[in-house]
Amino acid sequence: MDLKEFIQKSYLRPWDIAIILLLTISSFLPLVVFGIQNTGTDDATKQAVLKVDGEVIKVFELKEDGPTYTYKYEAADGDYNVIEVSGDRIRMVETNCGDQICVQRGWISKAGETPIACLPHNLFITVEASDGSEDGSLIY
């Protein structure tokens, strides 16, 4: 059975095929529209916020061609964390907690990404953006 014979035996009409093709092509329209919107200039400034016990300790500016440096946070009880900032990303390099999960977490660089958390020290590092791209933000 060839294609012409199949079409004759089925209940498809010539306009049915045109409508199916039109609907299939138009289903990709949102992808194209939102893709064009997201290719605009990215003028958002990103920053990483270091919080211990809910209190902001330090804010790191994250720039794509920014410097690479380390910061050591030491608590009064002897707990310490070494944080590395490299351009527009940040990670935990070293800590004296037992499980080292925060060190294994690796780099973060996007707003809304799962934060780096050192639960034994109750320390969190989150990335925030000024353009409102993080979850729960509003722009008026």
Side-chain angles (χ1 to χ4, degrees), residues 67-130:
T68 299
Y69 60 94
T70 59
Y71 172 78
K72 185 174 185 178
Y73 168 75
E74 288 190 72
D77 60 358
D79 294 339
Y80 72 90
N81 297 76
V82 179
I83 300 160
E84 180 181 7
V85 177
S86 178
D88 65 342
R89 57 191 192 154
I90 188 167
R91 71 174 176 163
M92 188 82 63
V93 177
E94 181 184 343
T95 182
N96 65 346
C97 64
D99 56 10
Q100 300 289 310
I101 291 175
C102 54
V103 176
Q104 296 170 10
R105 168 68 173 90
W107 296 99
I108 62 172
S109 61
K110 296 178 183 165
E113 193 172 0
T114 305
I116 298 173
C118 184
L119 294 180
H121 298 165
N122 202 14
L123 179 139
F124 295 91
I125 301 173
T126 57
V127 176
E128 299 174 354
S130 67

